[in-house]
Amino acid sequence: MIYTKENPSPEYNKLIKDYKIIHETGTRDQSPKDTYNGSSTIKFAEILKKVITKNNYRSLLDYGSGKGDAYHTKTIFIDKTYPPLKDFWNIDPTLFDPGVPYPKPKNSKFDIVISIDVLEHIPYQDLNWVISEMFEFSKEMVFINVACYEAKSKLPNGKNAHVSVFDEMWWCGFISAIASNHNKKALVACTRIKNKKVNYLFFGINDDFKNY
């Protein structure tokens, strides 16, 4: 069966219910306040600032934002303190996350759509329509980060929180195939762990990370 945004899979709908509970109750290792608070976005604060500034973007949708705390509060990452991202990027952010919940925008398009550490939480059978929707929301650019490894956290059913774990080349092909249906730019960063070290595979569609 082909699932769509109008008809997501039963697994997708169950996960939304699970994440609403997780946001309210926290996880074994994190309090509710710190659970999926959007802190992963800060890892890409610098590159996204360059992308936003160079392209003169004024509107942004964070698709799967979590609580999105970094947009409104200072954040410390490694040895640097970042101001709220809405100020650091000088952009008007819209947050969407059905688990928080932040409602899905209606009849809106944004200069750039970003999605950080989201796709690995989406069931395989729903990935096509979710990624397509990101491109549909975008006027010009989609920026995606996806984790290619299992999570430390578990879902209420005991399964790993990363329900779609594929290697970086699989993601490159899958996202590129969907992007071919849209005349947009895309930058994708695949996070991988090899020899206990975190590294990234970067690839661009109608654009290049080297431009930033």
Side-chain angles (χ1 to χ4, degrees):
M1 182 174 182
I2 297 176
Y3 294 103
T4 65
K5 59 185 176 182
E6 292 82 14
N7 181 39
S9 72
E11 185 179 358
Y12 178 93
N13 290 328
K14 177 64 168 59
L15 281 170
I16 297 303
K17 293 178 181 179
D18 287 343
Y19 278 114
K20 286 180 179 179
I21 295 171
I22 291 169
H23 272 286
E24 293 178 357
T25 61
T27 63
R28 182 180 62 181
D29 301 320
Q30 291 183 312
S31 67
K33 179 180 181 299
D34 295 327
T35 298
Y36 297 124
N37 63 2
S39 59
S40 295
T41 306
I42 208 70
K43 300 174 185 177
F44 300 95
E46 299 286 352
I47 181 66
L48 280 168
K49 181 177 177 64
K50 293 177 182 178
V51 170
I52 290 166
T53 301
K54 184 171 182 177
N55 292 292
N56 196 32
Y57 292 152
R58 290 288 176 253
S59 59
L60 175 148
L61 172 65
D62 190 329
Y63 190 111
S65 62
K67 294 182 176 71
D69 294 347
Y71 286 100
H72 305 290
T73 60
K74 293 180 180 180
T75 305
I76 299 174
F77 179 61
I78 304 179
D79 57 354
K80 181 172 181 177
T81 299
Y82 288 88
L85 288 177
K86 64 182 181 62
D87 299 325
F88 185 62
W89 293 341
N90 188 29
I91 201 165
D92 179 28
T94 296
L95 308 186
F96 163 58
D97 194 303
V100 175
Y102 290 130
K104 185 180 292 186
K106 295 182 178 179
N107 303 318
S108 298
K109 285 187 175 291
F110 305 84
D111 293 333
I112 181 170
V113 175
I114 72 170
S115 182
I116 311 296
D117 282 351
V118 173
L119 291 180
E120 62 271 22
H121 295 272
I122 305 297
Y124 168 75
Q125 60 267 30
D126 295 277
L127 284 173
N128 194 305
W129 73 258
V130 168
I131 297 171
S132 295
E133 187 171 58
M134 293 178 188
F135 280 91
E136 290 164 4
F137 272 124
S138 172
K139 293 178 184 177
E140 295 190 24
M141 166 78 76
V142 176
F143 185 100
I144 293 173
N145 167 244
V146 58
C148 303
Y149 53 86
E150 291 192 342
K152 294 180 180 178
S153 56
K154 303 289 185 182
L155 296 169
N157 62 9
K159 293 184 179 180
N160 194 273
H162 290 179
V163 298
S164 288
V165 178
F166 305 102
D167 67 37
E168 54 271 22
M169 297 311 297
W170 186 93
W171 285 109
C172 289
F174 193 85
I175 294 171
S176 295
I178 296 171
S180 68
N181 297 315
H182 304 270
N183 186 26
K184 310 285 173 60
K185 296 187 288 186
L187 295 173
V188 181
C190 295
T191 309
R192 19 179 216 185
I193 298 178
K194 291 189 176 181
N195 299 321
K196 299 182 179 180
K197 292 183 178 180
V198 176
N199 54 60
Y200 298 93
L201 172 72
F202 299 102
F203 74 96
I205 300 166
N206 299 322
D207 205 346
D208 196 311
F209 274 89
K210 294 178 182 178
N211 293 330
Y212 308 100

